[in-house]
Amino acid sequence: MSGFPILSLMLAVPLAAALACLFLEAKAARTVALLATLVDLALGVVLWANFDIGGPQWQFTERLEIFSGFSWALGIDGIALLLIMLSVFLMPICIGASRSIEKRVGEYMAAFLAVETLMLGVFMAQDIFLFYMFFEAGLIPMYLIIGIWGGADRIYASYKFFLYTLLGSVLMLVAMLWMVNTAGTNDIPTLMAYDFPPSAQNWLWLAFFASFAVKMPMWPVHTWLPAAHVQAPTAGSVILAGVLLKMGGYGFIRFSLPMFPEASVYFAPLVWGLSMAAVVITSLIALVQSDMKKLIAYSSVAHMAIVTIGLFAFNVQGLEGSMLVMLSHGLVSGALFLCVGVIYDRLHTREINRYGGLAINMPRYALFFLLFTMASIGLPGTSGFVGEFLSLGGIYQVSTWAALICTTGIILGAAYMLYLYRRVVFGEQKNADAAAMPDLDGRELAMVVPLALAALWMGIYPESFIAPMRADIAALDARLARAKPQGDSAPTPGKVKPAHTDDSAHGGSH
């Protein structure tokens, strides 16, 4: 693959298809969009097959100087590879889940393909300003997807989504300009190894944090997410939970941790405090939700909080676990939103109490919904277990109390997910319209089966996903080693006590 611009090709295919969809009828637009996403998936498989594990950190690099200070520079490491594969894997499923879209289908497909181009660009960019362009431009098509094809309150949700995420990124642009001026380069790999003055790192870290915390989203700047999920069409929720939220975690891994290691350690208590609060608070909020989408949205905030704590544990287990949690959440949360969309298309309501007893008339649906519920909880053998186990192991090395609090969040996660499943799938069939719903058809099985297989693959053989990023995680851990704090879980040596002597053994009786 040396010299072949496969990354540019992966960006060009959905972009060209998006332009074509603007001029096509609905049926033709659906076909073109599906074919384009399948082609990108095939290119992603080629990318993974040709990725040299143990080779150079940055592979498939491309560079074209556009003008002074800005380059078309692309390249990936193992971390970016996995997030790219997640993106191209979910996109055909999103196109298949868009059958219910009936108005302005060509524009809808074009918007989704534009989202694919821009989110892939985020993971491929090696020029810091090119990254920023992809990072921010991705807001526009997602804003349109929610605002045009969303639910009744779509205008409010789309504006809230756009303003939260845009305003958080203004400070990041200012910080990027300062960094490029100071370091004399806009090359991301070079900036990752550059030692910025400790006095400036805190301000730079806060500027990037303002953007990435909103994107994750972290508590308390998470309030745009439930509104966006509830109002977005099914495919919009899948790609929002599956990939767009991961851009915040990717930003921490690519920028905050390697570029500002001392500041990351300094602000780690802030991140941990917010994340621990998120794990418990949003889990409790999820427990009382009556809307299925809103429940899963709050569960996303809790899962992403495990990611941020694991990242700021500053050890290999925490970093690898956080990456696996992101990948698993992308699969499982997307699958759960897909399951909600399946029954919403039949009954046109997300209210939990309108369902019940679906195991009777929809046994295949009940089976897959159970699998994704167990994966969300973290059942061993599913994708959720591996990431959470590694993350908690990394967190425990730094703080036993934080590990305890995060574990309570996982217990609460089991409570709200099992409670949701029981009310929807088991019990009496109190509503005749719900009892008459047909089971999964061939198209819906084609969407959920790949997600189920991927969740099981990651849970049974996680090495497939750990191996490509192992060297990159080790390099990041080495970069953080100089500032790494000492945890409270390591055993501490005790003091040697003098041997006890008995007078009677030496002096006898007097």
Side-chain angles (χ1 to χ4, degrees), residues 18 32 44 59 137-138 143 177 190 195 197 249 255 328 350-351 367 380 384 431 434 437 445 452 474:
V32 168
Q59 302 182 29
Y143 164 79
L177 292 169
T190 305
D195 294 325
F255 293 91
S328 172
R350 296 180 300 271
E351 291 299 314
L367 174 64
N431 300 297
M437 295 192 304
L445 283 171

Side-chain angles (χ1 to χ4, degrees), residues 320-462:
E320 287 182 348
S322 294
M323 269 298 297
L324 289 176
V325 170
M326 285 199 288
L327 295 173
S328 172
H329 179 265
L331 294 171
V332 175
S333 183
L336 289 170
F337 279 116
L338 196 60
C339 288
V340 173
V342 164
I343 54 178
Y344 178 81
D345 288 344
R346 289 160 168 74
L347 207 58
H348 300 290
T349 179
R350 296 180 300 271
E351 291 299 314
I352 298 172
N353 58 14
R354 288 284 284 111
Y355 298 94
L358 294 187
I360 298 172
N361 57 306
M362 301 180 70
R364 290 194 296 269
Y365 175 83
L367 174 64
F368 284 104
F369 194 11
L370 176 64
L371 172 62
F372 298 133
T373 299
M374 293 297 106
S376 178
I377 293 170
L379 183 74
T382 64
S383 58
F385 172 76
V386 183
E388 289 181 356
F389 185 83
L390 279 174
S391 294
L392 288 173
I395 294 166
Y396 181 82
Q397 293 180 38
V398 181
S399 171
T400 52
W401 283 106
L404 176 64
I405 292 172
C406 290
T407 305
T408 62
I410 292 173
I411 295 170
L412 289 171
Y416 61 69
M417 288 306 300
L418 291 174
Y419 187 39
L420 167 68
Y421 188 81
R422 185 188 69 80
R423 288 180 289 170
V424 172
V425 175
F426 295 142
E428 297 180 13
Q429 291 189 318
K430 298 178 180 179
N431 300 297
D433 48 1
M437 295 192 304
D439 206 352
L440 297 175
D441 58 26
R443 177 183 64 88
E444 291 161 342
L445 283 171
M447 293 186 294
V448 297
V449 168
L451 289 167
L453 293 175
L456 291 172
W457 178 17
M458 187 182 295
I460 294 170
Y461 192 68

Side-chain angles (χ1 to χ4, degrees), residues 106-423:
E107 290 90 336
Y108 175 89
M109 295 298 169
F112 250 97
L113 292 166
V115 167
E116 180 174 21
T117 299
L118 295 169
M119 66 188 184
L120 290 177
V122 167
F123 303 132
M124 295 176 181
Q126 289 202 310
D127 181 289
I128 195 168
F129 295 122
L130 184 64
F131 167 86
Y132 186 83
M133 288 175 58
F134 283 128
F135 190 82
E136 291 305 306
L139 298 177
I140 299 171
M142 197 65 208
Y143 164 79
L144 296 175
I145 289 169
I146 298 172
I148 297 174
W149 294 278
D153 293 328
R154 60 186 180 273
I155 303 301
Y156 166 78
S158 60
Y159 272 106
K160 193 171 186 179
F161 162 76
F162 189 84
L163 292 176
Y164 261 73
T165 49
L166 177 65
L167 293 176
S169 299
V170 173
L171 291 174
M172 183 171 72
L173 178 60
V174 176
M176 285 179 174
L177 292 169
W178 188 91
M179 290 163 59
V180 171
N181 183 62
T182 301
T185 180
N186 54 346
D187 182 59
I188 290 176
T190 305
L191 291 169
M192 288 172 65
Y194 187 85
D195 294 325
F196 290 99
S199 58
Q201 279 194 28
N202 287 359
W203 296 107
L204 296 172
W205 188 94
L206 287 171
F208 278 81
F209 180 74
S211 178
F212 299 148
V214 172
K215 202 72 147 186
M216 287 289 289
M218 292 180 65
W219 182 88
V221 290
H222 68 287
T223 56
W224 63 269
L225 183 66
H229 269 312
V230 168
Q231 298 304 320
T234 297
S237 292
V238 171
I239 206 65
L240 180 60
V243 181
L244 294 181
L245 300 189
K246 310 304 175 286
M247 292 182 183
Y250 178 76
F252 282 128
I253 294 171
R254 188 62 78 226
F255 293 91
S256 301
L257 294 176
M259 295 184 187
F260 322 122
E262 285 83 9
S264 295
V265 172
Y266 180 80
F267 286 109
L270 169 66
V271 175
W272 279 52
L274 295 177
S275 300
M276 286 187 289
V279 167
V280 177
I281 293 172
T282 56
S283 295
L284 291 172
I285 294 173
L287 198 56
V288 299
Q289 294 303 312
S290 59
D291 184 302
M292 285 186 282
K293 263 195 169 184
K294 194 171 285 189
L295 186 152
I296 300 169
Y298 279 110
S299 78
S300 294
V301 181
H303 280 97
M304 297 309 287
I306 299 290
V307 172
T308 49
I309 300 181
L311 291 177
F312 283 82
F314 307 113
N315 55 52
V316 171
Q317 288 89 341
L319 294 168
E320 287 182 348
S322 294
M323 269 298 297
L324 289 176
V325 170
M326 285 199 288
L327 295 173
S328 172
H329 179 265
L331 294 171
V332 175
S333 183
L336 289 170
F337 279 116
L338 196 60
C339 288
V340 173
V342 164
I343 54 178
Y344 178 81
D345 288 344
R346 289 160 168 74
L347 207 58
H348 300 290
T349 179
R350 296 180 300 271
E351 291 299 314
I352 298 172
N353 58 14
R354 288 284 284 111
Y355 298 94
L358 294 187
I360 298 172
N361 57 306
M362 301 180 70
R364 290 194 296 269
Y365 175 83
L367 174 64
F368 284 104
F369 194 11
L370 176 64
L371 172 62
F372 298 133
T373 299
M374 293 297 106
S376 178
I377 293 170
L379 183 74
T382 64
S383 58
F385 172 76
V386 183
E388 289 181 356
F389 185 83
L390 279 174
S391 294
L392 288 173
I395 294 166
Y396 181 82
Q397 293 180 38
V398 181
S399 171
T400 52
W401 283 106
L404 176 64
I405 292 172
C406 290
T407 305
T408 62
I410 292 173
I411 295 170
L412 289 171
Y416 61 69
M417 288 306 300
L418 291 174
Y419 187 39
L420 167 68
Y421 188 81
R422 185 188 69 80
R423 288 180 289 170

